[in-house]
Amino acid sequence: MDSSIDRAAAQAVPRTPLKRVVWASALGTTVEYYDFTLYATTAALVFGDVFFPAETPLVGTLAAFATFFVGYLARPLGGLIFGHFGDRLGRKNVLIITMLMMGAGTFAIGLIPSYASIGITAPLLLVLIRLVQGLGMGGEYGGGVLMALEYSPKERQGLSTSLVHIGTPAGVLLPVGLVTLLDTFLPEGTYEAWAWRLPFLLSIALIGVGFYIRLRLSESPEFVKMRAEREVRTVPVKELFVRHSGSVVLSILAKIAESGLFNVYYVVAVAYVTTELDLPRGPVLLTVLIACLVECFTLPLFGALSDRVGRRRVYIAGAVFQAVLAVPFFLMVQTGDFALTTVAMVLGLAVGHGSMYGAQAALFANLYPVHVRYTGLSVTQQVGATLEAASPRWPAPPSWPPPAGTGPGWSPTWPASP
């Protein structure tokens, strides 16, 4: 009986080619991290003056970052809401909605008039858009990963979902590259005056391509099978926390570890070099971009490796590697040598973080049965990342020896990684 239901369900809905599913999911991840990186960068450079003018520039910048965290705090709620509907109504339609919420929000930020033009309405609009984006982002990740996972054969799930994760380094590279080009080649003051809007408006290209591809997807075959067998749950989140609370807690802790380690390289190390060592910002940011580019290639390698030797093994090995790397990493970085700093960043991001992140999606998703999988994966991702963002920043280790005129340690205040 079960086999006949499975065949009927499979025949009822045409299967989308796996390559198209992966592209659609990866583009969603790229849009998510594009917005994250672009907003954080622009908040630091421009938003204080544009939307939160104050006598002290620092106050305006802090207010701009406050809106960043408003969106961040909305993500767990978005994960619960869209996880619920993704487990009840299907993955595809939810993914179309979350793509529109994220993408339209990014584009709309580029159109908001300044405080000087419309007064308090400007920051209020910014907060509202960030709330909508945060809700959409909360549901985006889980659905994108699950479409790739549930279309893939078991022995290729690590590879397929790691390709979705390429959207993370790609989403860092694109906005940072755009901002750098604009700030470098436009006349002085142009970027701050109006050109900061261009990267937000150009995001419409990513959104259009992603939306078009997602419209052409078929529903996840595993969800179709579940619906045909009448296993859809009325309240997925209730079953998740009643029957799978252990998996939720363990996966959230594992997510905090991965996200926190990413922060060491992308946030703490950059701030350490520019503040403690008093070195130029440009070269160290370039090393981060190089490492992100290399990680685009190492992620699928570690994803494929996790299919062969086991996801837990690859994930744990990545964490151990980063623990061993800690002291050599900062020893290389504090030399100020561009080549050594690049090697350190590549080892940290492309190898250490890449091994954990490459195996992560398939590892976490398979902790949950199909009927609560969207909710479980969304809660893991969004709660774990939000808790890591709210945690105190690690102080940078003392330098060997400390540079003249600097203290023994420093704690960055840059926003946390997603």
Side-chain angles (χ1 to χ4, degrees):
M1 179 66 177
D2 288 347
S3 61
S4 64
I5 292 175
D6 295 352
R7 285 195 298 271
Q11 292 170 359
V13 178
R15 288 178 64 93
T16 305
L18 177 60
K19 184 183 297 185
R20 188 187 304 166
V21 174
V22 171
W23 265 105
S25 300
L27 279 170
T29 307
T30 303
V31 170
E32 177 183 353
Y33 282 78
Y34 181 101
D35 169 82
F36 175 90
T37 306
L38 179 60
Y39 190 93
T41 303
T42 314
L45 298 175
V46 175
F47 280 177
D49 293 332
V50 175
F51 296 115
F52 304 95
E55 293 182 4
T56 305
L58 177 61
V59 174
T61 301
L62 291 176
F65 278 131
T67 63
F68 178 91
F69 284 108
V70 165
Y72 221 110
L73 293 175
R75 291 172 67 163
L77 178 59
L80 285 172
I81 293 172
F82 289 109
H84 170 84
F85 288 111
D87 282 327
R88 281 190 50 78
L89 305 178
R91 289 44 164 141
K92 174 187 173 179
N93 291 333
V94 170
L95 279 177
I96 292 173
I97 294 171
T98 56
M99 169 70 80
L100 288 176
M101 291 174 69
M102 289 192 312
T106 303
F107 183 78
I109 288 174
L111 298 176
I112 301 177
S114 67
Y115 185 95
S117 299
I118 60 174
I120 192 66
T121 305
L124 289 178
L125 283 173
L126 186 62
V127 171
L128 178 62
I129 290 172
R130 293 302 297 172
L131 281 171
V132 173
Q133 281 186 303
L135 292 173
M137 289 177 183
E140 166 64 31
Y141 174 84
V145 165
L146 291 190
M147 285 294 282
L149 180 109
E150 293 176 353
Y151 259 94
S152 301
K154 190 78 172 177
E155 65 274 10
R156 292 185 59 194
Q157 288 180 345
L159 173 61
S160 296
T161 54
S162 68
L163 292 170
V164 176
H165 277 180
I166 289 177
T168 301
V172 173
L173 283 166
L174 289 172
V176 172
L178 279 172
V179 170
T180 302
L181 287 173
L182 292 171
D183 194 37
T184 301
F185 293 105
L186 289 177
E188 185 176 353
T190 304
Y191 178 79
E192 292 81 1
W194 61 268
W196 65 265
R197 298 179 182 273
L198 292 178
F200 287 93
L201 299 177
L202 289 173
S203 68
I204 196 68
L206 280 175
I207 300 157
V209 173
F211 182 69
Y212 173 74
I213 295 176
R214 287 187 174 186
L215 280 177
R216 301 175 63 200
L217 298 180
S218 301
E219 184 55 82
S220 155
E222 289 198 32
F223 179 83
V224 170
K225 175 176 177 286
M226 178 185 73
R227 185 168 53 193
E229 295 176 345
R230 302 182 185 277
E231 291 184 358
V232 176
R233 300 301 193 263
T234 303
V235 187
V237 68
K238 179 181 178 180
E239 178 168 340
L240 176 71
F241 286 109
V242 170
R243 297 190 178 183
H244 307 282
S245 56
S247 295
V248 172
V249 172
L250 288 175
S251 57
I252 286 175
L253 291 175
K255 175 61 189 177
I256 291 173
E258 171 268 314
S259 188
L261 288 167
F262 180 91
N263 241 329
V264 171
Y265 309 115
Y266 183 56
V267 181
V268 177
V270 172
Y272 176 66
V273 168
T274 56
T275 304
E276 283 287 315
L277 305 182
D278 197 26
L279 295 173
R281 179 175 55 185
V284 70
L285 287 176
L286 180 57
T287 68
V288 172
L289 293 182
I290 292 171
C292 285
L293 180 61
V294 176
E295 190 175 13
C296 290
F297 297 94
T298 59
L299 280 171
L301 292 178
F302 286 114
L305 181 64
S306 75
D307 286 328
R308 295 179 62 86
V309 304
R311 282 130 203 170
R312 290 174 187 250
R313 290 180 180 177
V314 174
Y315 200 88
I316 293 171
V320 171
F321 175 83
Q322 291 178 90
V324 173
L325 179 67
V327 171
F329 176 86
F330 278 99
L331 284 172
M332 286 187 283
V333 166
Q334 79 152 14
T335 65
D337 181 78
F338 179 80
L340 285 176
T341 303
T342 301
V343 170
M345 288 294 182
V346 169
L347 288 174
L349 280 172
V351 179
H353 178 261
S355 57
M356 295 179 74
Y357 203 45
Q360 185 183 96
L363 172 62
F364 288 177
N366 279 301
L367 294 174
Y368 308 107
V370 179
H371 48 269
V372 296
R373 188 177 281 165
Y374 203 136
T375 306
L377 191 57
S378 297
V379 168
T380 293
Q381 171 72 12
Q382 305 308 331
V383 173
T386 301
L387 289 176
E388 195 284 326
S391 65
R393 303 295 98 211
W394 302 276
S399 53
W400 300 277
T406 62
W410 176 84
S411 181
T413 54
W414 192 262
S417 64

